[in-house]
Amino acid sequence: MENVKKRNLILIGFMGTGKSSVGKMLAEMMNYKFVDTDSYIESKAGSSIPELFASRGEDIFRQLEQEAIQEILHSDGLVVSTGGGSVLREENRAAMLAGGQVIALTADADSIIARVSQDPNRPLLQGNVEERVLTLLEQRKDAYRFADLTIDTTDLSVDTIVGIILAHHR
C-alpha cells in the first residue's frame, strides 16, 4: 500500500472555544496525532506559558509560537490545537493554510468567560476576566476569518463539533 499523505487539521479560535477538547477527540477518531502548540512551546522552552509571558514578554512568546507552528506543520496526520493569538501573525496564517485544513471554533462571549474564568494559566486574562475577554474578542473579531470552516461551539457538544468537522474534512 502506498503512503498516502494525511492532511492536517488545524484548530484556531479564541481561548475557551474548545480547541483542546475537540482536538483530542478528533485525533483519536481519525487515528491522527494530537499536538497542542502551547504544550509544544512549554516543553521546548522548559517553562509554562504564564512564566514565558512574565519573564520574556508577549513578543518573545509570539516568536516561539511562530517557530513552533512552522516545525509542527512539517509533519502530516496531525490535529493541531493552536493558541488563541497565533492567528495574529501573517506568517502563522500562511503556514496554517499551507499546512492543512484550518477550522475556526467560535463561541459567544458569555460562554468563553464562563469557560476560562477559573483557569490560572491564561496570562492575557490577568485582572478583570470579563473586561479582558470582551476587549480581546473585539481586537480579534476578524482574525479567524481565513479559516476553511467556522463552527460556533456555544451550544454544541464536543461529539457534535467533531462530527461536523469529520463531515467537512477533505
Side-chain angles (χ1 to χ4, degrees), residues 91-154:
E91 299 87 349
N92 292 346
R93 294 190 300 271
M96 289 176 202
L97 287 169
Q101 183 176 8
V102 181
I103 298 143
L105 301 182
T106 65
D108 66 33
D110 290 340
S111 296
I112 290 171
I113 292 163
R115 293 173 188 173
V116 303
S117 61
Q118 303 305 314
D119 189 344
N121 293 316
R122 302 200 183 265
L124 290 178
L125 294 185
Q126 300 312 306
N128 182 324
V129 173
E130 183 174 349
E131 182 181 306
R132 291 293 299 142
V133 165
L134 293 174
T135 300
L136 287 168
L137 278 173
E138 179 58 29
Q139 289 171 353
R140 297 179 184 175
K141 69 177 186 263
D142 298 324
Y144 307 106
R145 287 202 174 152
F146 71 99
D148 299 303
L149 174 66
T150 300
I151 302 167
D152 184 341
T153 66
T154 302

Side-chain angles (χ1 to χ4, degrees), residues 33-102:
K33 182 179 176 198
F34 175 74
V35 180
D36 179 281
T37 59
D38 284 351
S39 297
Y40 184 92
I41 294 163
E42 287 177 335
S43 98
K44 237 184 131 178
S47 61
S48 72
I49 301 298
E51 289 167 350
L52 283 170
F53 264 77
S55 66
R56 300 180 68 189
E58 185 174 358
D59 286 345
I60 297 296
F61 170 76
R62 295 293 175 207
Q63 185 57 41
L64 293 171
E65 183 175 59
Q66 183 177 332
E67 292 165 13
I69 288 168
Q70 300 284 342
E71 291 166 16
I72 291 165
L73 292 177
H74 278 295
S75 299
D76 59 359
L78 304 176
V79 174
V80 181
S81 172
T82 62
S86 63
V87 298
L88 300 176
R89 287 195 174 187
E90 175 58 37
E91 299 87 349
N92 292 346
R93 294 190 300 271
M96 289 176 202
L97 287 169
Q101 183 176 8
V102 181

